[in-house]
Amino acid sequence: GNSVTQMEGPVTLSEEAFLTINCTYTATGYPSLFWYVQYPGEGLQLLLKATKADDKGSNKGFEATYRKETTSFHLEKGSVQVSDSAVYFCALSPLGSQGNLIFGKGTKLSVKP
Amino acid sequence: KAGVTQTPRYLIKTRGQQVTLSCSPISGHRSVSWYQQTPGQGLQFLFEYFSETQRNKGNFPGRFSGRQFSNSRSEMNVSTLELGDSALYLCASSLRTSGNTDTQYFGPGTRLTVL
């Protein structure tokens, strides 16, 4: 079946530190991959996406590359800010199945000044 | 362009009651998906509606149902509420034009508490 595995949180970093949140997936064929972010009391916001192997999604300094060979989509940012504190979700949209996102458990990030 | 709106934002019900939640998608979006978010189970897909028809369904009991209207607005209904139905219910809309590459845009959610 289809599934997403994210690194367990919470993750606590100091401002300007480097961030990596690991995400691996299991799926048939070529799913599309997404990172969403959820701030306290809010819904999910799309952070970035990649729809085919070797695609790199990027937004607001965050990046993730679709690696078919390792079935991974790790999220990275070179220098985090306090305002990046949130919960990050990795998700996949299976091939042949629209409107159905499969999410990882989420990783809570706290950035300290 | 206005985002996805959900009403009400907060709801308190008692066991055995039923509840209806509403979702208005982004203008022009014809697909609406519903998700349940709980601390224990995370984000789980409930169902998706497109052109007033349910196209996909997650693994939830029949107490959970939904519908979509001709203007793409959607409602979900939960009957005979149980304590375990307490959750944040999220609605997402998309254009549904490009297969599994479509982006889903989420509303702020409805926080349902069952007492």
Side-chain angles (χ1 to χ4, degrees):
Chain A
N2 300 302
S3 66
V4 175
T5 302
Q6 277 182 250
M7 63 185 285
E8 295 280 334
V11 174
T12 302
L13 296 173
S14 297
E15 208 165 21
E16 299 184 3
F18 185 85
L19 169 70
T20 299
I21 301 178
N22 290 337
C23 171
T24 57
Y25 67 90
T26 301
T28 304
Y30 288 86
S32 289
L33 300 173
F34 303 81
W35 277 100
Y36 281 87
V37 59
Q38 187 175 35
Y39 298 99
E42 299 184 12
L44 277 68
Q45 297 177 24
L46 176 70
L47 187 56
L48 51 85
K49 71 185 230 185
T51 59
K52 59 183 187 294
D54 300 324
D55 262 2
K56 178 187 280 190
S58 61
N59 185 27
K60 298 180 182 178
F62 290 90
E63 292 183 339
T65 300
Y66 188 139
R67 301 285 187 201
K68 179 69 174 175
E69 63 277 12
T70 54
T71 61
S72 65
F73 193 55
H74 304 322
L75 182 68
E76 296 182 336
K77 187 176 185 183
S79 177
V80 294
Q81 306 300 312
V82 172
S83 58
D84 294 326
S85 298
V87 181
Y88 292 81
F89 292 92
C90 183
L92 71 81
S93 180
L95 185 67
S97 178
Q98 293 177 268
N100 170 13
L101 285 172
I102 295 165
F103 287 90
K105 293 289 189 184
T107 303
K108 184 175 182 180
L109 170 67
S110 295
V111 180
K112 306 298 184 186
Chain B
K1 190 184 256 190
V4 177
T5 58
Q6 292 186 245
T7 56
R9 292 293 310 278
Y10 302 91
L11 210 46
I12 299 175
K13 293 286 188 179
T14 56
R15 277 182 299 174
Q17 287 187 310
Q18 75 165 23
V19 67
T20 299
L21 313 181
S22 181
C23 171
S24 292
I26 291 171
S27 177
H29 285 193
R30 296 169 61 199
S31 169
V32 173
S33 297
W34 289 89
Y35 296 84
Q36 181 195 65
Q37 186 177 22
T38 60
Q41 299 299 315
L43 280 153
Q44 295 184 285
F45 171 73
L46 281 154
F47 30 64
E48 184 231 358
Y49 284 86
F50 175 71
S51 291
E52 301 177 62
T53 302
Q54 188 180 90
R55 304 290 178 155
N56 277 304
K57 188 177 189 304
N59 189 25
F60 278 81
R63 300 185 297 107
F64 292 82
S65 62
R67 58 178 175 167
Q68 186 180 36
F69 302 94
S70 58
N71 62 357
S72 295
R73 190 177 70 85
S74 177
E75 290 181 346
M76 68 163 279
N77 184 277
V78 188
S79 62
T80 320
L81 284 165
E82 301 176 0
L83 295 178
D85 297 333
S86 294
L88 181 67
Y89 290 88
L90 292 164
C91 157
S93 75
S94 69
L95 287 167
R96 211 182 199 270
T97 57
S98 50
N100 69 328
T101 65
D102 279 337
T103 295
Q104 291 190 30
Y105 296 89
F106 285 79
T110 294
R111 171 74 62 185
L112 172 65
T113 302
V114 182
L115 302 176

